[in-house]
Amino acid sequence: MKKLVVIGDPINHSLSPLIHNAALKALELDKDFYYEKQRMNHEELADFIQSMRDGEIVGANVTLPHKETVMKYLDGVTQEAKLIGAVNTLYSERGKIIGDNTDGIGFLTSLEENEINVTHKKITILGAGGAARAAAITLAHYNTRKLVILNRSVKKAKILSRDIEEKIGKKVRVKSLKKIEEETKDAEILINCTSVGMKNKQENKTLVVSKMLNSHTTVIDIIYNPLKTKLLREAEIAGCKTINGTGMLIHQAAAAFKMWTGKNPPLKTMKNTLLTHLEGAQ
Ligand code: ATR
């Protein structure tokens, strides 16, 4: 049996085992692979990577708080992971353990699936954490009209904008959340990459309310639990098109699945499994 693992701390909330085991079953790969969660502290990372080198574990997902710290134990990281500055997927290549980041491709595929064209658009991103970095760096490769990042910590947003300018050559504006209304009204796409609105954390909170929005704006919340955040409810009131984070979650998982198994992921099964679980949890 080939073992796949998601590591993090805490790890109980992770939906990756649910999604990946459903996908493995649908393709009858559950005879060969099994995916499980493993709570892990920092001191255990080096041994874990060694167990991957030994072939005991063939692939892994990495979640908080190890997405950045695990990088120093790896044998290599992809260009994408280097740009984002964090890994979420590990795979073995001829005994070498490589870190990749599939959040950017997950985000992009979710946009494509929803027929969102980013060319010549003004895009406002809220947040500058790991998820915001993946989204902003992905978007910076496209010919957007204006990319603005707002974050509670302006310093963190400036680091992200400097990275984008230096590594991709794209100019990004940075603003404090105090200026939020100026940057939401005329945005064609607004993306929440903060944890504001997340279940069990800051649920029923939002940084943007309906009067700050224009009906022409597409509002994306990368949060998937709850399925409809307070932000998306406000966006609906304003008449905006809305997209939640389930697409990004599924497509980042799908990219990892393909890497580990070499098979095209059963997207419908993955999505239905996730939605059934989340609808039951609402
Ligand atoms: P992730 O990797 O999932 O993006 P993270 O790195 O902890 O998680 O980032 C969380 C984001 O939510 C950050 O942009 C954070 O702002 P700071 O960088 O200023 O901490 C943002 N965030 C969390 N709680 C917030 C709040 N109450 N108001 C505004 N922004 C908040």
Side-chain angles (χ1 to χ4, degrees), residues 177-224:
L177 279 177
K178 291 187 192 97
K179 305 272 184 193
I180 195 164
E181 198 156 351
E182 288 170 22
E183 301 300 333
T184 53
K185 273 274 178 202
D186 67 341
E188 281 140 312
I189 302 175
L190 172 72
I191 310 162
N192 176 49
C193 297
T194 75
S195 47
V196 179
M198 218 179 251
K199 195 175 175 86
N200 298 332
K201 278 194 178 169
Q202 309 184 60
E203 203 172 345
N204 285 319
K205 292 215 169 84
T206 178
L207 297 171
V208 179
V209 293
S210 61
K211 68 172 173 46
M212 293 155 69
L213 292 164
N214 177 319
S215 63
H216 303 304
T217 307
T218 295
V219 178
I220 304 171
D221 200 330
I222 65 154
I223 294 173
Y224 51 84

Side-chain angles (χ1 to χ4, degrees), residues 78-138:
T78 62
Q79 180 70 12
E80 181 79 359
K82 206 181 281 174
L83 266 176
I84 297 173
V87 301
N88 75 335
T89 304
L90 308 179
Y91 61 93
S92 174
E93 197 175 66
R94 290 183 292 276
K96 300 245 184 281
I97 307 308
I98 311 296
D100 196 1
N101 195 314
T102 62
D103 282 338
I105 185 74
F107 175 71
L108 190 64
T109 313
S110 167
L111 291 184
E112 284 166 5
E113 192 176 60
N114 286 285
E115 295 173 352
I116 307 295
N117 182 359
V118 298
T119 316
H120 306 311
K121 301 280 165 58
K122 168 174 172 173
I123 306 180
T124 298
I125 298 175
L126 308 178
R133 288 188 64 90
I137 286 166
T138 301

Side-chain angles (χ1 to χ4, degrees), residues 10-268:
I11 200 62
N12 255 339
H13 66 285
S14 174
L15 297 179
S16 295
L18 178 84
I19 299 168
H20 282 288
N21 282 322
L24 291 168
K25 193 158 181 233
L27 298 188
E28 295 180 6
L29 289 170
D30 52 335
K31 299 183 293 301
D32 308 318
F33 291 91
Y34 181 68
Y35 190 113
E36 62 184 28
K37 49 182 115 173
Q38 198 173 329
R39 185 171 158 196
M40 190 167 294
N41 62 39
H42 185 78
E43 287 69 44
E44 295 167 298
L45 286 177
D47 283 350
F48 176 79
I49 300 304
Q50 190 53 44
S51 67
M52 286 191 76
R53 278 189 202 101
D54 297 341
E56 205 181 305
I57 297 158
V58 297
N61 280 130
V62 183
T63 187
L64 298 175
H66 303 314
K67 285 180 154 197
E68 290 156 30
T69 43
V70 76
M71 291 170 89
K72 62 173 175 283
Y73 301 108
L74 304 175
D75 302 313
V77 292
T78 62
Q79 180 70 12
E80 181 79 359
K82 206 181 281 174
L83 266 176
I84 297 173
V87 301
N88 75 335
T89 304
L90 308 179
Y91 61 93
S92 174
E93 197 175 66
R94 290 183 292 276
K96 300 245 184 281
I97 307 308
I98 311 296
D100 196 1
N101 195 314
T102 62
D103 282 338
I105 185 74
F107 175 71
L108 190 64
T109 313
S110 167
L111 291 184
E112 284 166 5
E113 192 176 60
N114 286 285
E115 295 173 352
I116 307 295
N117 182 359
V118 298
T119 316
H120 306 311
K121 301 280 165 58
K122 168 174 172 173
I123 306 180
T124 298
I125 298 175
L126 308 178
R133 288 188 64 90
I137 286 166
T138 301
L139 291 169
H141 287 97
Y142 288 81
N143 188 19
T144 53
R145 181 161 52 82
K146 197 171 171 192
L147 211 49
V148 187
I149 300 172
L150 293 94
N151 197 46
R152 186 173 56 181
S153 150
V154 174
K155 193 175 158 207
K156 215 153 114 188
K158 279 189 176 152
I159 293 172
L160 173 54
S161 83
R162 193 200 56 206
D163 282 354
I164 291 174
E165 281 186 43
E166 278 179 14
K167 293 173 185 166
I168 307 172
K170 171 110 184 167
K171 184 114 185 81
V172 180
R173 280 167 201 250
V174 166
K175 288 205 174 163
S176 135
L177 279 177
K178 291 187 192 97
K179 305 272 184 193
I180 195 164
E181 198 156 351
E182 288 170 22
E183 301 300 333
T184 53
K185 273 274 178 202
D186 67 341
E188 281 140 312
I189 302 175
L190 172 72
I191 310 162
N192 176 49
C193 297
T194 75
S195 47
V196 179
M198 218 179 251
K199 195 175 175 86
N200 298 332
K201 278 194 178 169
Q202 309 184 60
E203 203 172 345
N204 285 319
K205 292 215 169 84
T206 178
L207 297 171
V208 179
V209 293
S210 61
K211 68 172 173 46
M212 293 155 69
L213 292 164
N214 177 319
S215 63
H216 303 304
T217 307
T218 295
V219 178
I220 304 171
D221 200 330
I222 65 154
I223 294 173
Y224 51 84
N225 194 10
L227 287 165
K228 199 184 279 185
T229 57
K230 169 97 168 141
L231 168 64
L232 295 188
R233 295 201 301 273
E234 292 288 330
E236 277 181 359
I237 294 169
C240 303
K241 177 177 169 134
T242 61
I243 297 168
N244 68 20
T246 52
M248 180 173 172
L249 178 66
I250 291 298
H251 291 294
Q252 66 75 30
F257 186 91
K258 174 107 201 213
M259 231 179 265
W260 299 325
T261 65
K263 305 272 190 243
N264 284 327
L267 290 170
K268 274 212 177 97

